[in-house]
Amino acid sequence: LEFKDLDIGIMRTLTKDIINKENETVELMGWVAARRDHGKIIFIDLRDRSGLAQLVFVPSNKEVYELANKLRSEWVIKVSGKIAKRPKGMENAELETGLLEVQVENLEILNEAENLPIDVYSDGREIGEDVRMKYRYLDLRRPRLNSNLKNRAKIINFFRDFLVKKDFVEIETPIISKSTPEGARDYLVPSRLQPGKFYALPQSPQQYKQLLMVAGLERYFQIAKCFRDEDTRGDRQPEFTQLDLEMSFVKREDVMEVIESMLIETVKTLCPEKKIQQIPFPRLSYKEAVDNYGTDRPDLRKDKNNPDELAFCWVVDFPFFEKTENGDWTFTHNPFSAPIPEHLDDLMNKKNIGNILTTQYDVVLNGFEIGGGSIRNHQSGALVKVFEILGYPMDKIQANFGHMLEAFKYGAPPHGGIALGLDRIFAILFNEPNIREVMAFPKTGDGRDLMMEAPSEVDEKQLKELHLKIIDNK
Ligand code: ASP
C-alpha cells in the first residue's frame, strides 16, 4: 500500500521496491538503522517495514550534508533522491536492495531519538526480560520479534480463510460476562450499576458458542481472548488467544477432521521447512498415552533435537470425572462435554462414575497440549446429571447454568467444538522457547505489565463508584 503524500505529490516508495526503480527519483521514509562515515561520505541504512536501503550523502550537496551529519540511530527521516547502482565492490549480497543505493537530494528530519535503552538489532536473548518488557515498543523493533508478529498474523489470516471457505461464521462474544467454570479462577469486574455484583472475564467463550448453536448458526469460530487468573507457573499468561470453534450436527471425527486438515494445510503452505512426522495424526487413548509415555501429552518426535520436526497426535477417551483431594468428583476437562455414547446410560444413572469416558479430544504437538474440545451434552437432562455428580445443589445449578438448561429446551442441535491455544502453536512453529516471544504485549510471570505499569492503584472516587473498599490484610 502506498500513500499519496499530500504536501509534495510524490508517492512514498518502500525500501524493498527500489530494486525496480533504478535511475528514478523516489521518496523514502523510515528509521536510521545504522550510520557509517567513509571519508567525507555519509552512508545511512534506512529501515522501513519492508527492509533496508542504503542512503548516500555527499559533501557537494552542502545543506543536506550538514543536516545528515546530525543523524543518529533510530531518528525518523524522510528523504528523496535518485536510485543508482552502487560502485563496483560496494555491493552487499546479503541485502535484497544491496546492489543499489539512494543518492539523497533532500532530507527532512521527522523526529529525533534519544539513545535507546536497549539494543534492538541483536536477537535480544542477552537482554534482561524486565527491560525488554518495559520498553516493549522498542523490543518489538527487533527483527526477530517483528517477524514473529507478522508471521503470527499470516497464520491467523490463513485459519480465517480456511474456516470461512468451510462456511464458518466469525462471531464476537462478550468479554464482560458471567463466570464460566473451566477449572481456573476468574478475573472479576465489579459492576457500577449493580452494586455488589460482578462480571467475570471469560475463561473461554464456551457457553456463548454453545448458545450460538442453539441460535442455528451451525458453524462458529472466533479468534478469542481468554482470561484465567492462575498463578502463572511456567509459561502461562493471564490472557491468551484461542482459535475457538463450534459446529452443529457433528461427531467428534468431524471436528477433528476440520482441525487436522487446517493444521496440515497451514504448515505446508506457510511453514514449508517444517516436516509433519505422521499424517493422518496418530490417535491414542488416554490410557495408551499414560501407559506407554507416562503422560497424556506425549512428545512423539523421533528426533527431539530437530527444530523442524512436528509430531502431532490426538488423545481421546479421557475419564470424564476424577476425585479431588477431599473425595468429591470434579471434571477433568469440560463440564459441558458429553460422555461417549456407550457411557450415556451410566451418566444418566450416575453409575460407574470413575469409568465414564468423555468425548473430549486433545491435540498434542511435540509434547504440548495445543488444543482440546468435545462433543457436548445438548440435552439438559444429561447436563444436569453432570452438575449433580459434581455435587452442585439444584439452586446453584439453576443460578449458574439455568440459562443453558433453559436454552437446551428449545431445540438445541447436537454440537461439539474445540479450541486451539494459538500462542503455544506459534511458539513451536517459530522455534521460540516461550509464548512471550510471540505475543505483542505479554505480562511478566507475576502478571504485571511493566510498560503500562499495570495493575495499578485507582482513585478513591473510582472505588466509591464501584462500591469497593480496599482492605489491608497486613
Ligand atoms: N472451552 C474449551 C477450552 O477453552 C475448549 C472447548 O471445549 O471447545 O479449553
Side-chain angles (χ1 to χ4, degrees):
L1 225 96
E2 290 181 307
F3 293 93
K4 188 122 191 120
D5 188 313
L6 297 177
D7 297 334
I8 316 179
I10 302 185
M11 296 264 242
R12 178 188 176 201
T13 299
L14 288 175
T15 56
K16 75 167 169 43
D17 293 330
I18 66 170
I19 50 175
N20 307 316
K21 301 199 172 183
E22 203 183 324
N23 294 324
E24 285 180 41
T25 295
V26 298
E27 185 175 273
L28 302 168
M29 290 186 224
W31 288 261
V32 173
R35 168 180 173 159
R36 293 175 298 276
D37 292 20
H38 285 301
K40 289 230 133 67
I41 305 180
I42 301 170
F43 293 96
I44 297 282
D45 284 341
L46 181 78
R47 180 186 81 241
D48 63 14
R49 68 177 192 276
S50 72
L52 294 174
Q54 174 166 291
L55 312 179
V56 188
F57 298 86
V58 289
S60 54
N61 187 350
K62 191 159 179 287
E63 215 175 293
V64 171
Y65 180 81
E66 270 164 21
L67 197 56
N69 230 335
K70 293 190 182 168
L71 295 178
R72 296 288 177 272
S73 275
E74 299 302 303
W75 286 28
V76 188
I77 58 174
K78 170 160 113 180
V79 295
S80 58
K82 202 169 131 192
I83 300 167
K85 278 212 174 65
R86 293 193 193 187
K88 275 246 160 338
M90 305 283 276
E91 300 94 344
N92 178 352
E94 270 159 40
L95 214 59
E96 240 176 281
T97 60
L99 298 181
L100 300 167
E101 60 189 18
V102 183
Q103 297 169 344
V104 177
E105 286 149 26
N106 291 299
L107 164 66
E108 188 182 327
I109 294 171
L110 300 177
N111 212 348
E112 301 185 1
E114 291 184 12
N115 281 339
L116 266 45
I118 53 173
D119 180 2
V120 296
Y121 279 100
S122 67
D123 88 348
R125 302 188 206 275
E126 74 295 350
I127 306 170
E129 218 179 6
D130 281 9
V131 198
R132 289 182 53 203
M133 298 279 193
K134 175 155 191 240
Y135 296 103
R136 188 61 164 179
Y137 46 87
L138 299 179
D139 198 34
L140 292 175
R141 284 186 191 171
R142 189 178 311 292
R144 176 171 65 91
L145 293 203
N146 216 277
S147 64
N148 281 354
L149 292 187
K150 289 177 178 168
N151 290 333
R152 179 184 173 115
K154 265 191 207 151
I155 295 180
I156 288 180
N157 263 323
F158 192 89
F159 289 161
R160 262 205 178 94
D161 280 355
F162 182 94
L163 293 171
V164 167
K165 276 191 207 123
K166 293 208 177 324
D167 230 10
F168 282 82
V169 184
E170 183 169 6
I171 302 171
E172 292 166 77
T173 54
I175 292 295
I176 49 170
S177 174
K178 183 170 170 152
S179 173
T180 308
E182 306 254 349
R185 195 182 293 110
D186 286 318
Y187 276 100
L188 296 176
V189 180
S191 162
R192 178 177 59 84
L193 296 174
Q194 315 290 328
K197 295 199 173 161
F198 293 82
Y199 303 96
L201 305 186
Q203 292 183 34
S204 87
Q206 184 70 35
Q207 297 192 42
Y208 286 108
K209 68 174 173 176
Q210 291 194 243
L211 293 168
L212 288 169
M213 297 303 104
V214 180
L217 270 302
E218 292 198 28
R219 291 186 166 201
Y220 139 95
F221 83 99
Q222 178 177 198
I223 308 296
K225 270 293 178 81
C226 302
F227 307 84
R228 298 182 189 178
D229 187 3
E230 295 176 293
D231 297 328
T232 34
R233 54 184 153 87
D235 191 16
R236 289 210 184 146
Q237 284 283 315
E239 57 182 302
F240 54 92
T241 308
Q242 286 188 343
L243 170 65
D244 190 48
L245 63 82
E246 196 75 9
M247 307 167 76
S248 292
F249 306 108
V250 288
K251 301 217 161 37
R252 69 179 174 185
E253 281 67 29
D254 300 309
V255 183
M256 291 161 79
E257 160 63 24
V258 168
I259 291 297
E260 184 165 330
S261 55
M262 185 185 76
L263 289 170
I264 293 169
E265 270 197 40
T266 306
V267 170
K268 286 193 170 158
T269 313
L270 295 179
C271 316
E273 73 287 358
K274 299 274 176 197
K275 259 187 82 84
I276 299 178
Q277 187 169 286
Q278 198 180 331
I279 296 174
F281 300 170
R283 280 190 198 187
L284 292 84
S285 69
Y286 170 78
K287 189 169 179 318
E288 282 168 337
V290 172
D291 287 353
N292 297 332
Y293 303 96
T295 171
D296 59 3
R297 35 186 180 80
D299 186 349
L300 299 182
R301 277 176 297 174
K302 293 205 181 86
D303 176 3
K304 296 194 175 55
N305 295 317
N306 176 353
D308 288 335
E309 190 161 336
L310 300 177
F312 290 97
C313 68
W314 290 101
V315 181
V316 296
D317 292 341
F318 291 87
F320 201 133
F321 302 98
E322 66 187 4
K323 287 264 182 186
T324 62
E325 280 165 16
N326 18 348
D328 302 327
W329 288 112
T330 182
F331 54 90
T332 63
H333 284 82
N334 188 331
F336 297 101
S337 300
I340 60 169
E342 304 88 289
H343 290 177
L344 184 60
D345 274 352
D346 280 352
L347 175 74
M348 296 312 286
N349 297 311
K350 297 196 264 180
K351 268 191 355 209
N352 303 323
I353 294 173
N355 294 329
I356 297 177
L357 298 180
T358 150
T359 49
Q360 178 80 24
Y361 30 78
D362 278 1
V363 55
V364 174
L365 171 57
N366 294 1
F368 291 96
E369 183 201 316
I370 57 162
S374 62
I375 300 302
R376 326 298 182 185
N377 274 323
H378 66 285
Q379 281 164 346
S380 51
L383 189 52
V384 169
K385 291 292 172 197
V386 173
F387 293 132
E388 285 176 7
I389 291 172
L390 298 176
Y392 300 168
M394 205 54 207
D395 55 335
K396 187 175 166 196
I397 298 176
Q398 271 308 331
N400 287 320
F401 309 107
H403 56 286
M404 296 292 280
L405 300 174
E406 178 163 25
F408 285 1
K409 287 186 201 159
Y410 305 124
H415 60 282
I418 192 166
L420 295 182
L422 295 188
D423 307 297
R424 169 62 56 201
I425 293 176
F426 298 140
I428 297 172
L429 292 180
F430 307 159
N431 300 325
E432 291 290 1
N434 66 63
I435 61 175
R436 298 184 296 284
E437 304 291 327
V438 301
M439 301 171 90
F441 298 107
K443 297 200 169 49
T444 58
D446 55 357
R448 285 176 303 147
D449 179 332
L450 299 178
M451 180 185 68
M452 305 288 279
E453 295 187 5
S456 60
E457 279 152 11
V458 296
D459 289 346
E460 199 54 43
K461 180 166 166 278
Q462 280 175 294
L463 287 175
K464 225 172 162 175
E465 278 173 350
L466 293 169
H467 324 280
L468 291 180
K469 238 197 202 102
I470 304 293
I471 298 173
D472 193 348
N473 273 332
K474 271 177 248 149

